[in-house]
Amino acid sequence: MRIAYCIKSLHQSGGTERVLTTKMNYLADHTDCSVYVILQDEKEEPFFPLSPLVQKVSLNLKSRQEYRAALERTLKTIHPDVTVCVGGDELSFINDIDDGSKKVLEFHYTKNFLVNFVKGIRRIRFKSLHLLKVWLLQKRLAYYVKKFDLVVGLTARDVQLWGSPSNMTYVYNPLSFRSSKKSTTKNKEIISVGSFTPAKGMDLLVEAFGRIAPRYPDWKLSLYGSGQDYELLKELISKYHIEEQVALHEPVLNIGEKMVKSSIYAFPSRSDGFGLVLTEAMECGLPCVAFDCECGPREIITKDTGILVSPQDIDGFGRALSQLMDAEELRQRMGDAATKEVERFYVENIMPRWINLFSQLCNNRT
């Protein structure tokens, strides 16, 4: 098969870029598929290592109109059997390109991600108008979704939210790395990784930790990411006087090494598509505390590997952190269980599902 992936760029350090790179590398390195990635506006080299067998096409175009024309020319040159989009500018027109390929939408969010995003913004004027706007955008998205030969979500719950349409299924994200080293869960450090945006809820985590921090002066909280809520996080750190216990770090490539040196993983998202970082933390032997947001954590974490907390229950999140901070043996037991549970997300266990879906599409050509 010839498979073409479309994405704006790969130089960002986000979950979509990490997952897409993992999948393309597997297909290129371990199957006889020809894999292409078509980049709309690539500014730098990919953040995550890309296999030399993945054929990269950089269009370097910002204009939607120019991008459409260039993408159509590219697809008619490549002649892929399957073209995969991840929700970029091409979402609205890719099904109108008659290049003979089956069109797949790989959806890395949840159905309600835009509404959930706006709801999570603390400081915003005319919130009701913004909610109306994003609700209309989601209706527009639903219109385009119906046109794809196949839509692949990240969780069973999200397929249900979409109403379980006949052209939709789900495949969990594959774990992006392996770690031979595991956490001892003895270091008094909590770690969380994600963009500093309302959806990821880092402000909720800082509040939860801030309320219990005086009882745990020897514990640290390390956040890795960047984004619009950076100043808000600084204000909250100052509010709780925890400057000596909380550190904000830029994204790093070797996040596994940071996780291994920690003892608890915190996942405070208000909304998420899946929760790739949860599987990465489990691979590193960390017990997890997570908000039971609409999609993701409940399909990853079990009672043996972590603690689920009611959505946005800040005090409940603090209590869950305290439960693990107070009990080294519990941390170790959950961390050990996590390293076994996470095997179901290994790339060699996930990618056969994708290959089967692509094969079925190609065999059903009309």
Side-chain angles (χ1 to χ4, degrees):
M1 283 185 291
R2 300 165 72 84
I3 305 169
Y5 288 87
C6 305
I7 189 171
K8 185 170 185 177
S9 70
L10 286 174
H11 70 270
Q12 300 286 350
S13 61
T16 300
E17 290 82 3
R18 181 186 280 275
V19 167
L20 203 63
T21 301
T22 299
K23 290 193 284 195
M24 291 190 298
N25 287 349
Y26 181 90
L27 290 170
D29 295 340
H30 299 284
T31 75
D32 59 359
C33 295
S34 297
V35 182
Y36 300 81
V37 59
I38 303 170
L39 303 163
Q40 177 184 354
D41 185 25
E42 184 70 358
K43 297 180 176 65
E44 305 167 22
E45 286 299 304
F47 187 88
F48 303 104
L50 190 65
S51 168
L53 295 179
V54 175
Q55 301 176 64
K56 189 170 63 167
V57 181
S58 298
L59 301 180
N60 295 319
L61 296 169
K62 290 184 172 63
S63 161
R64 182 188 293 259
Q65 186 174 0
E66 290 180 326
Y67 175 45
R68 176 172 179 162
L71 180 59
E72 182 167 1
R73 288 195 301 271
T74 302
L75 291 178
K76 288 184 176 180
T77 299
I78 293 174
H79 293 297
D81 297 294
V82 178
T83 302
V84 184
C85 104
V86 295
D89 283 348
E90 70 279 355
L91 173 71
S92 62
F93 61 75
I94 197 165
N95 284 290
D96 297 326
I97 296 178
D98 185 16
D99 64 305
S101 67
K102 293 290 186 176
K103 303 301 191 300
V104 176
L105 172 60
E106 187 176 305
F107 199 61
H108 285 258
Y109 306 94
T110 69
K111 179 179 184 292
N112 301 318
F113 77 103
L114 288 171
V115 169
N116 291 334
F117 182 87
V118 173
K119 285 182 177 179
I121 301 176
R122 292 194 179 208
R123 300 164 182 169
I124 183 173
R125 299 179 64 191
F126 310 114
K127 179 175 279 192
S128 60
L129 291 178
H130 285 284
L131 285 170
L132 176 60
K133 178 181 178 181
V134 296
W135 180 81
L136 291 172
L137 287 173
Q138 287 190 180
K139 294 289 286 185
R140 184 180 177 213
L141 173 62
Y143 168 77
Y144 291 125
V145 162
K146 294 176 183 178
K147 293 187 171 187
F148 282 87
D149 295 297
L150 178 66
V151 179
V152 184
L154 297 177
T155 63
R157 171 60 177 157
D158 198 41
V159 175
Q160 293 173 354
L161 291 174
W162 281 100
S164 301
S166 60
N167 69 331
M168 188 172 188
T169 187
Y170 72 95
V171 180
Y172 292 139
N173 276 336
L175 182 63
S176 54
F177 66 82
R178 300 286 179 85
S179 177
S180 58
K181 296 180 180 179
K182 309 297 180 184
S183 169
T184 64
T185 68
K186 295 180 184 295
N187 295 331
K188 295 184 176 181
E189 183 171 350
I190 302 165
I191 187 172
S192 190
V193 182
S195 59
F196 297 164
T197 57
K200 297 299 183 182
M202 293 298 186
D203 57 314
L204 303 178
L205 173 56
V206 173
E207 294 240 40
F209 182 77
R211 294 177 188 183
I212 63 173
R215 305 204 311 269
Y216 302 95
D218 49 350
W219 275 82
K220 308 292 185 184
L221 171 63
S222 295
L223 309 183
Y224 288 84
S226 61
Q228 67 191 63
D229 281 353
Y230 180 84
E231 291 303 325
L232 171 61
L233 297 181
K234 295 288 286 186
E235 290 175 17
L236 291 172
I237 291 169
S238 177
K239 170 186 172 182
Y240 287 100
H241 309 292
I242 48 177
E243 291 88 348
E244 298 301 315
Q245 291 178 264
V246 180
L248 306 180
H249 302 279
E250 289 289 322
V252 295
L253 188 59
N254 60 332
I255 194 61
E257 295 177 16
K258 306 298 183 182
M259 288 180 171
V260 167
K261 294 177 182 178
S262 306
S263 293
I264 300 171
Y265 188 83
F267 186 88
S269 288
R270 291 179 169 90
S271 174
D272 216 288
F274 176 70
L276 179 66
V277 287
L278 286 172
T279 62
E280 294 172 345
M282 291 165 68
E283 169 66 11
C284 294
L286 293 180
C288 300
V289 174
F291 281 130
D292 187 17
C293 56
E294 194 170 51
C295 295
R298 72 182 70 177
E299 295 184 43
I300 300 173
I301 295 174
T302 70
K303 61 181 177 59
D304 296 319
T305 62
I307 302 173
L308 288 176
V309 179
S310 296
Q312 301 183 53
D313 179 358
I314 295 175
D315 288 333
F317 204 94
R319 287 192 296 271
L321 290 176
S322 294
Q323 184 179 346
L324 290 175
M325 293 159 78
D326 288 334
E328 183 179 316
E329 183 180 344
L330 178 61
R331 297 198 303 270
Q332 291 176 339
R333 186 166 68 249
M334 283 188 165
D336 289 342
T339 61
K340 298 178 178 63
E341 176 68 22
V342 78
E343 291 179 6
R344 63 190 173 105
F345 301 105
Y346 282 177
V347 65
E348 63 268 27
N349 295 328
I350 296 294
M351 290 309 297
R353 168 73 168 150
W354 275 106
I355 295 169
N356 184 54
L357 288 172
F358 290 155
S359 296
Q360 288 179 357
L361 278 178
C362 292
N363 290 336
N364 292 334
R365 288 182 183 277
T366 56

